[in-house]
């Protein structure tokens, strides 16, 4: 019997959820297919890198030999200095040969990669050509010609209808324009053109006649007063 007692079902559920979560998160990663060409290119690059490491070792050995040769020359040890020089010369030839090999490997890698690209291009062209041929087979030239003829006839018919409608419209518009012009001419003939009144104020002229006109209304008033006085007496 379990020591967890009544909590055992909860523990079982927890383990179930953890397993399902683990199953969801863990999946087999997608592995790209490695071709024999890819493996060959990789092998060539590995060989190239090994040759470069070998050259570095040779150059280090040449540098050490040069120091030893100088010391032997200072010590007047001619025989050993000659042996060291021969060794250095041999190492220099090995460096030249290795550099040539690296160049050949580099060219081979480039050629293989270019050939790999060419193969992919040819495959893409082949797929494109097949697709184009399949699409062209779906097109019937007789149907295309019939469609073009129908479209041309429809366009000509529409142009003829538009021309006829535009002719009727122009005639009606011309009659309306002439009628409006005659109405304007009649209105113009019946209208009397009056002179335009001046807008500037006229100057005032002081004359004796003007003064008499101003005092003239006062005389009838004096006569009226005299008549009223005679009636009162």
């Amino acid at each position: 019997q379990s020591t967890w007692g009544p909590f055992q079902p909860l523990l079982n559920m927890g383990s179930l959820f953890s397993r399902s979560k683990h199953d969801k998160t863990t999946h087999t990663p997608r592995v790209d297919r490695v071709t024999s060409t890819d493996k060959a290119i990789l092998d060539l690059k590995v060989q190239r890198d090994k040759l470069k490491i070998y050259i570095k070792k040779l150059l280090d050995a040449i540098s050490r030999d040069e120091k030893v040769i100088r010391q032997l020359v200072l010590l007047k040890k001619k025989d050993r200095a000659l042996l060291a020089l021969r060794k250095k010369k041999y190492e220099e030839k090995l460096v030249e040969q290795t550099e040539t090999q690296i160049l050949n490997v580099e060219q081979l890698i480039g050629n293989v990669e270019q050939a790999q690209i060419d193969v992919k291009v040819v495959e893409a062209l082949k797929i494109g050509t097949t697709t184009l041929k399949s699409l062209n087979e779906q097109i019937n030239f007789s149907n295309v010609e019939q469609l073009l003829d129908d479209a041309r006839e429809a366009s000509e018919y529409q142009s003829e209808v538009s021309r006829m409608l535009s002719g009727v419209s122009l005639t009606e518009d011309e009659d309306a324009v002439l009628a409006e012009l005659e109405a304007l001419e009649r209105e113009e003939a019946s209208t009397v053109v009056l002179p335009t009144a001046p807008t500037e104020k006229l100057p005032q002229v002081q004359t004796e006649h003007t003064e008499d006109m101003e005092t003239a209304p006062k005389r009838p008033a004096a006569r009226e007063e005299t008549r009223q006085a005679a009636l009162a007496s």
Side-chain angles (χ1 to χ4, degrees):
Q1 185 178 0
S2 174
T3 57
W4 292 100
F7 298 103
Q8 186 63 36
L10 296 176
L11 294 175
N12 294 334
M13 292 176 65
S15 62
L16 177 62
F17 289 141
S18 63
R19 284 197 301 271
S20 62
K21 182 178 180 181
H22 179 72
D23 294 339
K24 291 180 179 179
T25 55
T26 58
H27 59 277
T28 303
R30 184 176 64 89
V31 179
D32 294 333
R33 185 171 61 89
V34 179
T35 63
S36 58
T37 305
D38 296 331
K39 188 175 182 303
I41 292 175
L42 180 61
D43 293 340
L44 288 172
K45 289 181 178 181
V46 170
Q47 186 62 32
R48 176 200 60 191
D49 295 338
K50 289 181 178 180
L51 292 174
K52 288 182 178 181
I53 294 173
Y54 179 62
I55 284 182
K56 186 177 182 302
K57 291 181 179 180
L58 288 174
L59 293 176
D60 293 338
I62 291 172
S63 179
R64 290 192 300 269
D65 291 340
E66 289 177 349
K67 294 179 181 180
V68 171
I69 291 169
R70 290 192 181 94
Q71 291 176 357
L72 293 174
V73 170
L74 290 175
L75 296 175
K76 305 297 183 180
K77 296 181 179 181
K78 184 177 179 180
D79 295 337
R80 296 186 59 184
L82 288 173
L83 290 175
L85 283 171
R86 293 189 184 98
K87 179 176 177 293
K88 184 175 79 72
K89 182 65 66 175
Y90 175 71
E91 291 170 345
E92 289 175 350
K93 290 181 178 180
L94 290 178
V95 169
E96 293 178 358
Q97 294 176 1
T98 307
E99 287 178 347
T100 302
Q101 292 175 357
I102 290 176
L103 180 60
N104 294 332
V105 173
E106 289 282 1
Q107 290 178 349
L108 185 57
I109 291 173
N111 293 334
V112 173
E113 289 178 343
Q114 184 61 43
Q116 192 176 26
I117 294 173
D118 293 341
V119 169
K120 293 181 179 179
V121 171
V122 171
E123 291 178 355
L125 291 174
K126 182 179 178 181
I127 295 173
T129 303
T130 304
T131 305
L132 183 60
K133 289 178 64 177
S134 176
L135 293 173
N136 289 334
E137 290 175 355
Q138 300 177 17
I139 300 174
N140 192 340
F141 286 101
S142 60
N143 293 338
V144 173
E145 292 178 356
Q146 184 64 37
L147 287 173
L148 292 176
D149 292 338
D150 294 342
R152 189 180 304 107
E153 291 178 0
S155 178
E156 293 175 356
Y157 178 79
Q158 182 64 34
S159 300
E160 183 65 20
V161 172
S162 299
R163 186 184 63 81
M164 295 173 63
L165 293 176
S166 63
V168 174
S169 177
L170 288 176
T171 303
E172 294 177 353
D173 291 344
E174 186 68 20
D175 295 339
V177 169
L178 292 175
E180 185 175 357
L181 178 60
E182 292 176 359
L184 291 174
E185 288 177 347
R186 288 194 300 269
E187 182 179 353
E188 184 69 20
S190 62
T191 302
V192 178
V193 181
L194 298 176
T196 304
T199 57
E200 298 180 357
K201 186 177 180 182
L202 298 176
Q204 296 181 356
V205 180
Q206 300 294 334
T207 60
E208 294 179 356
H209 179 70
T210 304
E211 294 178 356
D212 293 340
M213 292 295 291
E214 292 177 354
T215 56
K218 298 180 180 179
R219 292 176 183 176
R223 292 176 183 175
E224 184 64 24
E225 291 177 357
T226 304
R227 189 173 66 81
Q228 293 292 338
L231 291 174
S233 60

